[in-house]
Amino acid sequence: MRLRHTILLSALGALAVAAGAEVAQQNVRRSPDADWPMYNRDLAGTRYSPLTQISVANVAKLTQAWTYRLRPAPGVAVPAIDRPASAAEIFQEVTPIVVNDVMYLPSGNRVVALEPETGKEIWSYVLPEGTASFRGVAYWPGDRGRQPRILFTSLKKLIALEAKTGKLDTEFGDNGHVDLEIAYAGVPTLYKNVIIMGSNFYGPGERHIGPQLSTSKGEKGDVHAYDAFTGKKLWDFHTIPLPGEVGNNTWENGSWKDRTGNNVWSFAMTVDEQRGLVYMPVSGPGMNYYGGDRPGNNLFANSTIAIDIQTGKLKWYFQNIHHELWDYNLPPAPGLIDIKKDGKTIPALAQVGKSGFMFILNRETGAPVYGVQELPAPKADVPDEWYPPTQPIPVKPGPLARVSMSDKDLVTAEDTTPEHAQACKELWDSKKFQNKGPYTPWNYKPAGGPATIIFPGFTGGTNWGGTATDPKLGYIFVNSKDEPSTGWIQPNPRYNEQTKDTEFPYAQVGGGTFSAPARDKDGKSLGTLPCFRPPWASLMAVNAATGEFAWRVPLGVNDNMPEGKKNVGSPGFGGPMVTAGGLVFIGATRDKRFRAFDSKTGKELWSVALAYNVTAIPVTFQGKNGKQYVAVVAATNGTGNNEALVVFTLP
């Protein structure tokens, strides 16, 4: 989306650091190409920047320009950060935005505005309790005399700040906030003057809970829209359909009643501005691993749904998985792309998820562009379970991650070491893990059968990192990882007459790891390595015009591996962004590196070692000095409490 804004910095750049300082204005028109105005840069979710100053030819020269420490100053006690409800959800997934040459981002118990060329604070808003979203903030440009706002979530509230000063905007909601019926930890999506909110079972600063993993009753997963002027609720959409609504008949025996799950926890939504549609990825119902009490396909679970933004009415849906049993849900919103095919332009979207497949759909109708086959689905022996007869498998592209496992897929001596390969074969022979291909259901442990091994595992596949798309090149970029889960379904020991409203009669139990210790020829430990063939993480490009892979490369290294074998991929979390300079930037590994790849070929062109892993989406922008910058938060699995936003530019 291209927006024209008035620049909010003075010609002299004399900006106050203290909270409440105003951003002076400048009478210079700023190119919309210079900004990164929302989480995915545009409503289409492309994460595509038209900037070209940093290019294939010079990216290797990138150097660090500045950093911004995300924690408060050393010695400042903040209980919400020092003793967090969820330690992995404070800074780790933060993606900043840049609008009119001002950077905005959440920072634990604060929201801050920074000079994007230097990292100098313009203002800082401190929350009285809880933390700000650990994913990002949204910018509303204002309208009808209302000033621009920064919108974000905290606890179970939607909060509005004046973008200019960082003060609470008391004209919004109840003195600057709206109490949410359903919490949301992601970033509000703004289309015209409508705020579209997803749904979590917890808010930023609250303990991360997932009742749908183990129970059937609890929080609803419905989504809501609010008026950007007043904060008044405009509509809601029932992700578990009520009687008389489309999809209610897919919950047999009245199993929709009091059902938890089907929430929309995507970090942000995507919007077709021309058609006025918002696309939402709906997750799975409770309980994720057992569905005997909810026979049927359970719409709108594991579905991409298209909703009219003004009315909240359903336009179309496409279910990616029938009758969820694997905690695959559907983390990322789809990316939009127009496909040139057979002399026609097809308005399309690309939906990915933990299952390891990409569904390329016509975004007007939901019809598959390259075909989807309903293939016979495997069954298991869990009492009273309802197994769907088929599962949808896209014809093109092929799987983004490993979706099956047999002895032919075991790691070899050439992949790691002879001793490791032998240990893995012995593990496979002793465990006798069972896999029947995509969507293998869990075996029932009391029946005495082997543990099931599923590929991808609970975390994917492709997780919330989603896709980036280059509309000029016509490529869709996505990263994936191969990490399995193992186990059975067994009777739940906590289930009885007193707990039947909160516990299921059955529970999922693990079956052990599918990995083994490895050593080099000198006996030095290489750590515990997977027992299936690498790469264990990949970055790839799909040509939207053909549905085929344009390229596919390992993403990340294992520094413990012997020379010549390090490039095996390093599974992590996060996603890519792409630029007109021909570059894909991405972290999303566990090797504490941030990388740039050639978008046309997949060749790695640059990497930098960081103190923390990157589990966030990178952004790029142009400063008022004319320089292009690349910024990313590095805040996972480091030491010293020095989580930071790290910014790079050319010398």
Side-chain angles (χ1 to χ4, degrees):
M1 183 175 81
R2 293 181 171 237
L3 302 174
R4 296 208 177 258
H5 303 287
T6 305
I7 293 185
L8 302 178
L9 292 181
S10 69
L12 298 176
L15 299 171
V17 177
E22 293 192 358
V23 182
Q25 294 193 356
Q26 190 178 35
N27 296 320
V28 178
R29 183 172 293 275
R30 178 177 171 84
S31 168
D33 292 353
D35 286 341
W36 191 280
M38 61 192 72
Y39 182 85
N40 285 320
R41 194 179 182 278
D42 51 38
L43 286 171
T46 66
R47 299 183 195 154
Y48 171 81
S49 170
L51 297 178
T52 59
Q53 186 179 100
I54 300 171
S55 68
V56 171
N58 60 25
V59 68
K61 299 178 182 178
L62 277 185
T63 58
Q64 184 173 300
W66 56 268
T67 64
Y68 180 80
R69 176 188 164 96
L70 296 172
R71 287 181 182 267
V76 176
V78 179
I81 296 176
D82 300 335
R83 297 183 297 278
S86 294
E89 296 174 336
I90 307 175
F91 318 109
Q92 291 86 340
E93 297 163 357
V94 168
T95 291
I97 60 173
V98 179
V99 185
N100 298 337
D101 200 44
V102 179
M103 176 180 283
Y104 305 94
L105 71 155
S107 183
N109 68 322
R110 303 176 298 152
V111 173
V112 298
L114 308 177
E115 289 183 357
E117 301 85 4
T118 66
K120 180 181 179 182
E121 278 191 16
I122 299 170
W123 55 252
S124 174
Y125 172 78
V126 180
L127 285 158
E129 60 177 338
T131 60
S133 169
F134 46 91
R135 287 160 183 170
V137 301
Y139 178 89
W140 181 58
D143 196 4
R144 289 181 246 159
R146 301 289 176 89
Q147 295 301 306
R149 290 172 176 159
I150 297 299
L151 295 162
F152 66 98
T153 60
S154 176
L155 302 175
K156 287 189 177 179
K157 296 179 180 181
L158 171 62
I159 299 173
L161 305 179
E162 297 175 358
K164 189 175 182 180
T165 67
K167 297 177 181 178
L168 271 177
D169 190 332
T170 56
E171 292 187 336
F172 180 77
D174 181 8
N175 284 318
H177 76 270
V178 171
D179 290 324
L180 299 174
E181 179 183 346
I182 298 173
Y184 182 45
V187 181
T189 298
L190 284 148
Y191 171 72
K192 295 185 176 178
N193 293 315
V194 178
I195 305 169
I196 306 156
M197 302 288 287
S199 50
N200 288 87
F201 299 122
Y202 64 97
E206 296 183 314
R207 183 175 64 87
H208 186 141
I209 58 172
Q212 77 284 4
L213 299 178
S214 59
T215 64
S216 63
K217 297 182 179 181
E219 297 272 2
K220 294 188 296 183
D222 296 346
V223 293
H224 300 84
Y226 297 86
D227 186 299
F229 288 97
T230 65
K232 179 182 177 181
K233 188 170 79 169
L234 299 176
W235 52 258
D236 54 15
F237 180 83
H238 303 131
T239 55
I240 297 177
L242 303 181
E245 296 178 345
V246 173
N248 178 262
N249 63 333
T250 64
W251 299 82
E252 298 177 18
N253 302 333
S255 55
W256 60 271
K257 296 177 182 177
D258 301 321
R259 179 72 54 175
T260 193
N262 281 25
N263 58 317
V264 180
W265 63 269
S266 173
F267 292 11
M269 312 295 173
T270 47
V271 170
D272 185 326
E273 297 181 76
Q274 179 183 344
R275 295 166 179 84
L277 298 176
V278 58
Y279 303 99
M280 299 184 179
V282 184
S283 69
M287 166 205 183
N288 277 182
Y289 313 116
Y290 171 76
D293 72 327
R294 49 176 172 88
N297 282 341
N298 305 147
L299 290 174
F300 294 99
N302 306 92
S303 298
T304 307
I305 57 174
I307 304 294
D308 185 293
I309 295 173
Q310 298 301 328
T311 66
K313 302 299 182 183
L314 178 70
K315 175 73 172 178
W316 59 259
Y317 70 89
F318 180 88
Q319 191 171 48
N320 296 250
I321 303 169
H322 305 320
H323 195 78
E324 161 77 271
L325 295 174
W326 305 271
D327 189 24
Y328 280 161
N329 50 65
L330 207 57
L336 310 189
I337 188 169
D338 290 337
I339 298 174
K340 309 291 185 183
K341 186 173 182 286
D342 301 327
K344 299 179 180 179
T345 299
I346 301 172
L349 60 77
Q351 178 70 69
V352 297
K354 293 183 188 178
S355 66
F357 293 109
M358 176 185 289
F359 293 88
I360 301 178
L361 308 176
N362 185 312
R363 66 177 184 264
E364 282 188 322
T365 65
V369 174
Y370 294 108
V372 169
Q373 296 177 308
E374 288 283 349
L375 298 180
K379 295 176 172 56
D381 55 354
V382 175
D384 301 321
E385 182 58 85
W386 188 93
Y387 295 104
T390 64
Q391 289 287 1
I393 307 294
V395 175
K396 293 193 298 184
L400 310 180
R402 186 182 298 279
V403 296
S404 64
M405 181 72 203
S406 72
D407 57 358
K408 297 181 177 60
D409 301 308
L410 288 171
V411 71
T412 68
E414 289 73 26
D415 296 323
T416 55
T417 69
E419 295 78 13
H420 176 253
Q422 180 60 32
C424 286
K425 184 178 186 307
E426 292 173 0
L427 177 65
W428 177 263
D429 291 342
S430 65
K431 291 280 191 177
K432 302 187 186 305
F433 288 121
Q434 186 174 84
N435 182 275
K436 300 177 182 178
Y439 304 111
T440 296
W442 306 103
N443 284 341
Y444 188 52
K445 191 171 185 179
T452 298
I453 185 168
I454 64 169
F455 276 92
F458 300 144
T459 62
T462 297
N463 206 294
W464 57 263
T467 61
T469 56
D470 184 331
K472 306 294 186 183
L473 188 59
Y475 284 4
I476 305 165
F477 306 95
V478 63
N479 57 295
S480 71
K481 58 191 179 69
D482 292 344
E483 288 187 308
S485 296
T486 68
W488 300 266
I489 295 294
Q490 68 176 20
N492 182 0
R494 297 186 299 273
Y495 179 80
N496 55 49
E497 188 64 25
Q498 287 72 41
T499 64
K500 64 181 182 180
D501 287 340
T502 57
E503 295 282 349
F504 271 92
Y506 301 101
Q508 198 274 342
V509 60
T513 62
F514 190 39
S515 57
R519 296 185 179 277
D520 64 15
K521 57 183 175 59
D522 298 320
K524 178 185 175 183
S525 174
L526 303 177
T528 299
L529 301 177
C531 281
F532 45 93
R533 300 202 68 183
W536 301 316
S538 300
L539 176 66
M540 63 207 80
V542 173
N543 185 337
T546 64
E548 305 286 355
F549 290 106
W551 51 260
R552 187 171 191 152
V553 297
L555 176 60
V557 299
N558 186 319
D559 289 316
N560 291 330
M561 292 282 282
E563 288 301 326
K565 297 184 179 182
K566 294 180 183 292
N567 196 28
V568 291
S570 177
F573 294 91
M577 70 96 162
V578 61
T579 75
L583 298 168
V584 176
F585 288 91
I586 189 169
T589 62
R590 294 178 187 148
D591 62 11
K592 295 183 179 176
R593 289 174 174 84
F594 180 48
R595 294 176 166 87
F597 293 81
D598 186 316
S599 61
K600 291 183 179 179
T601 66
K603 181 181 179 181
E604 184 177 320
L605 301 175
W606 172 80
S607 72
V608 62
L610 301 172
Y612 289 78
N613 286 321
V614 171
T615 54
I617 306 300
V619 306
T620 189
F621 58 90
Q622 183 177 312
K624 64 179 179 291
N625 56 10
K627 298 187 71 171
Q628 183 183 352
Y629 296 82
V630 175
V632 72
V633 164
T636 301
N637 299 126
T639 59
N641 293 336
N642 291 311
E643 300 95 336
L645 174 70
V646 187
V647 182
F648 302 90
T649 192
L650 295 172

